[in-house]
Amino acid sequence: MKTYHIHVEGIVQGVGFRPFIYRIAHEHSLRGYVKNLGDAGVEIVVEGKEEDIRAFLKALKDKAPPLARVEKIKTKELPLQGFDRFYIEKSSNGGEGGDSVIPPDVSICDDCLRELFDPRDKRYMYPFIVCTNCGPRFTIIEDLPYDRINTTMREFDMCDYCESEYKDPLNRRYHAEPVCCPVCGPSYRLYTNEGEEITGDPLKRAAELIDKGHIVAIKGIGGIHIACDATNEETLRELRKRILRPEQPFAIMAKDLETIENFAIVSEIEREELTSYRKPIVALRKKEPFPLPETLAPGLPTIGVMLPYAGTHYILFHYSKSPVYVMTSANYPGMPMVIDNETALKELKTLADYFLLHNRKILNRTDDSVIRFVDGKRAVIRRSRGFVPLPIEIPFEYNGLTVGAELMNAFGIAKNSKVYPSQYIGNTSKVEVLEFMRGAISHFKKILRVQNLDLIVADMHPLYNTTKLAMEIAEEEGVEFLQVQHHYAHVASVMAENKLDEVIGIALDGVGYGSDGHTWGGEVIYLSYEDVERLAHISYYSLPGGDLASYYPLRALVGILNKIYSVEEVEELVRRCCPRAIDNLRYGKVEFNVILNQLARDINVSYASSTGRVLDAFAVLLNVAYKRTYEGEPAMKLEGVAFRGKNDLGFRVPVEGEELKVEELFRQVLESRTNPADIAYSIHLALGRTFGEVAVEKAKEFDIKNVALSGGVAYNELIVKTIRKIVESNNLRFYTTHEVPRGDNGINVGQAFLGGLYLEGYLTREDLML
């Protein structure tokens, strides 16, 4: 007889891990106990024959529950204890230093879905049906260990039936913390936008109202959505007017896969992502002709779609005639998604006609995650529900806070060779979003048991609110503060995910503060444990009005054209090629004259090497888009036109020293006489070829085999594919990210990696800001 103490770390809470241990212990005739240690993992003590213990350990590794992730198993022999049975012991809080975390929120499982529509089942048509394998986790947890008392479900006392399931180790709902039923659990109510309650079945009535063309606010798992019939053109136009989103694509929810295949092209890997436990929004190519209203995603070749992931959604579609809903976050542009009933009824009454609200608190606001498949691989655009709080491994062990960027923000908490990216935070230039971020940081530190920080890392942009917040926290807590260059962090995020120690990195995006005070965004960078160096970049061009160019890309166009033409010639070209761009300025011709004057006198002009602004400028020149009403709009619409192109016109971007002369690409476009689709297609190929070729040249010069690509432009199918093919054709390895967002939503991971390089003494402050 032997006795062993076993310590397990990983995702082992809220996933049915303890009942799993209980079952396999009984299967192998072992005695002892299993105990949840909170953030420190799970403790197991087993006593029995040595061969049975070995079989138990094998089953622990090979047969763990589907949502569990066993990362570390430590075993130690103990003296015989004399247990008479195997049992599940009450949880303890563990201690600082463990690596176990709760799993993310999980979509409803097949077993619960069957019960949901079984008239004989106690939870028939009950929207909050859950078990150990599904349901809310991160959104309801206040502290570890993940027990009901530490969640917002503590406000609902279990009835005898639910408690009997909860306490039965052999039941699917054993210690499923959100377990409930219509007798004892949360419930929905339906209100008018004046706060008057509507009688009858709330979900059935809500479905009927949506079918009639009404806009309904629906409280779900991570926040409140605004829903309406996605097939109703009139309702869609009204929603756009109310929510102040004139062009931004709406996310839609379809009843099932068959419905999606009626209007979008779905590959096998996209199908797998759509149906995964995360149930994210996936950007799919529209079918042509597109049978749904173009108002859903105007000017784009893609449509963002998700499948139902909660009982609420399935019940609504059960009662509804429409197979497709708009399901967009309940917030005005730039503001946090609304999560509580009182705020919804107060602040959204002019947005929604009706409110379908439940009485379970949402503790942690969590937007839907967004995925796009680029060059056949997953690219995470927004990492939130279904992903958070899963960690990313880094090769450095320290406690740190990384605050990310200004837009598309997510922060990260570094602990024990991992960084835990937060849920999507958003646009931190808004005070309300910054306050949400401050609270979320405190919550992450609490549930991860991180009290004393070694380092706080921020972007080097002096005006970012995130940078200012990081400085405040560093001063309040007496923590060392480090700033790192934006594009170095982009490249470092690829190194972190792919476990690389040196790369030639390509960082392509719209905005990033450079060490010379200019706006970077078209960069080739060497980054290793020993050095960081900017090797090449798009040649600087003028941005009259500075940041205004990101909203009115005509400003970028005239700034680039002014490198090769006089101000008078630029004026004539714009009036001839894209006169509507002038009309789309806020003050029309008057403003255009001011811009030309700024150029001529070099007043209120900044300088940029941004790839994003280059693509925006081409969108204006080809009359694709004239202003940005949402992040990335002109470049995304230009890509949509490029997808229709078939002929490569052979455009080239000359390279002189460290500079990529993109202005010459504009000259070639202006001299071209072919159709806009072929021109747009060829622009993308030319940019991809140039960056790929420069990266290959530098890789050979530095004798490096790894080329990394990151930044917001790394979601562009044509550019990514072109770069990859050039890199791989030269027998080099091409890397980007598939777990970490490539845009600014993932920059916190790169900051954590660079913070580790700094603490370990590999790179200095000066290195990371050069």
Side-chain angles (χ1 to χ4, degrees), residues 749-763:
V749 175
Q751 291 175 341
F753 188 91
L754 295 177
L757 284 175
Y758 167 75
L759 287 176
E760 294 288 337
Y762 291 108
L763 296 176

Side-chain angles (χ1 to χ4, degrees), residues 44 51 110 217 333 352 436 465 469 481 485 501 509 594 612 683 710:
I44 307 165
E51 58 268 29
D110 290 342
F436 162 38
N465 279 334
L469 176 61
F481 173 66
Q485 203 280 324
D501 55 15
D509 65 4
V594 171
I683 288 166
S710 189

Side-chain angles (χ1 to χ4, degrees), residues 411-482:
F411 63 85
I413 299 291
K415 177 187 177 184
N416 289 359
S417 301
K418 291 182 177 67
V419 57
Y420 296 82
S422 75
Q423 72 270 49
Y424 175 74
I425 302 295
N427 179 359
T428 55
S429 67
K430 305 281 188 181
V431 173
E432 295 86 348
V433 177
L434 200 65
E435 287 306 305
F436 162 38
M437 180 181 181
R438 189 187 291 271
I441 289 171
S442 296
H443 183 66
F444 259 74
K445 288 174 66 179
K446 179 180 179 181
I447 63 172
L448 291 172
R449 300 291 193 267
V450 173
Q451 296 172 355
N452 300 312
L453 297 171
D454 302 312
L455 183 69
I456 297 176
V457 188
D459 193 275
M460 63 182 285
H461 199 302
L463 300 180
Y464 275 3
N465 279 334
T466 50
T467 302
K468 295 174 185 176
L469 176 61
M471 293 175 72
E472 287 176 22
I473 297 173
E475 188 172 344
E476 289 168 4
E477 301 187 12
V479 181
E480 188 173 4
F481 173 66
L482 175 71

Side-chain angles (χ1 to χ4, degrees), residues 191-226:
Y191 303 91
T192 68
N193 57 8
E194 295 299 325
E196 180 182 342
E197 186 173 351
I198 296 174
T199 59
D201 183 331
L203 276 79
K204 184 177 182 181
R205 293 295 304 274
E208 291 168 351
L209 289 167
I210 290 172
D211 286 346
K212 290 177 180 177
H214 292 290
I215 297 168
V216 180
I218 300 172
K219 187 176 181 182
I221 290 177
I224 296 175
H225 286 93
I226 299 297

Side-chain angles (χ1 to χ4, degrees), residues 78-96:
L78 299 175
L80 288 175
Q81 306 289 303
F83 293 106
D84 60 354
R85 61 188 175 90
F86 193 91
Y87 59 95
I88 298 174
E89 191 169 288
K90 186 179 179 181
S91 301
S92 68
N93 286 325
E96 186 168 353

Side-chain angles (χ1 to χ4, degrees), residues 398-410:
Y398 71 101
N399 286 352
L401 165 64
T402 61
V403 296
E406 184 87 336
L407 303 178
M408 292 291 290
N409 178 269

Side-chain angles (χ1 to χ4, degrees), residues 24-250:
I24 62 172
H26 277 270
E27 287 173 11
H28 294 93
S29 304
L30 299 177
R31 299 177 296 281
Y33 68 86
V34 59
K35 181 180 182 180
N36 187 351
L37 298 179
D39 67 305
V42 166
E43 176 184 72
I44 307 165
V45 175
V46 289
E47 193 167 85
K49 296 178 182 177
E50 188 160 6
E51 58 268 29
D52 290 332
I53 294 175
R54 283 199 300 269
F56 168 85
L57 286 168
K58 187 175 187 306
L60 191 159
K61 295 176 184 175
D62 297 343
K63 298 179 180 179
L67 299 178
R69 191 161 79 190
V70 175
E71 294 176 349
K72 292 180 184 176
I73 300 176
K74 298 176 183 177
T75 60
K76 179 176 67 175
E77 188 171 358
L78 299 175
L80 288 175
Q81 306 289 303
F83 293 106
D84 60 354
R85 61 188 175 90
F86 193 91
Y87 59 95
I88 298 174
E89 191 169 288
K90 186 179 179 181
S91 301
S92 68
N93 286 325
E96 186 168 353
D99 271 348
S100 289
V101 295
I102 58 169
D105 299 284
V106 179
S107 64
I108 187 171
C109 68
D110 290 342
D111 289 329
C112 284
L113 194 55
R114 278 192 293 271
E115 292 174 349
L116 181 66
F117 291 108
D118 181 355
R120 299 164 299 179
D121 194 275
K122 183 177 176 64
R123 297 181 179 86
Y124 173 62
M125 301 300 274
Y126 182 59
F128 300 95
I129 186 170
V130 295
C131 71
T132 310
N133 298 319
C134 67
R137 303 289 198 277
F138 174 71
T139 49
I140 63 171
I141 189 157
E142 185 172 344
D143 201 359
L144 290 179
Y146 178 58
D147 288 334
R148 193 180 183 99
I149 192 64
N150 290 326
T151 75
T152 59
M153 285 300 296
R154 65 174 172 266
E155 298 179 8
F156 302 93
D157 293 330
M158 283 183 279
C159 65
D160 291 343
Y161 180 83
C162 288
E163 189 171 15
S164 68
E165 291 185 314
Y166 182 84
K167 290 182 175 180
D168 181 1
L170 299 178
N171 190 283
R172 189 172 101 250
R173 293 189 170 89
Y174 175 75
H175 275 263
E177 306 308 338
V179 68
C180 57
C181 73
V183 173
C184 63
S187 59
Y188 272 105
R189 281 176 168 71
L190 183 64
Y191 303 91
T192 68
N193 57 8
E194 295 299 325
E196 180 182 342
E197 186 173 351
I198 296 174
T199 59
D201 183 331
L203 276 79
K204 184 177 182 181
R205 293 295 304 274
E208 291 168 351
L209 289 167
I210 290 172
D211 286 346
K212 290 177 180 177
H214 292 290
I215 297 168
V216 180
I218 300 172
K219 187 176 181 182
I221 290 177
I224 296 175
H225 286 93
I226 299 297
C228 70
D229 180 359
T231 68
N232 189 321
E233 180 80 54
E234 185 179 345
T235 303
L236 293 175
R237 284 198 297 268
E238 177 63 22
L239 176 57
R240 286 207 174 277
K241 188 167 67 176
R242 293 188 195 180
I243 206 168
L244 308 178
R245 298 180 197 169
E247 294 280 324
Q248 186 174 354
F250 285 137

Side-chain angles (χ1 to χ4, degrees), residues 633-649:
E633 178 183 355
M636 288 167 63
K637 289 183 174 178
L638 181 70
E639 183 188 21
V641 174
F643 279 143
R644 300 199 299 269
K646 294 179 179 153
N647 300 309
D648 181 2
L649 304 176

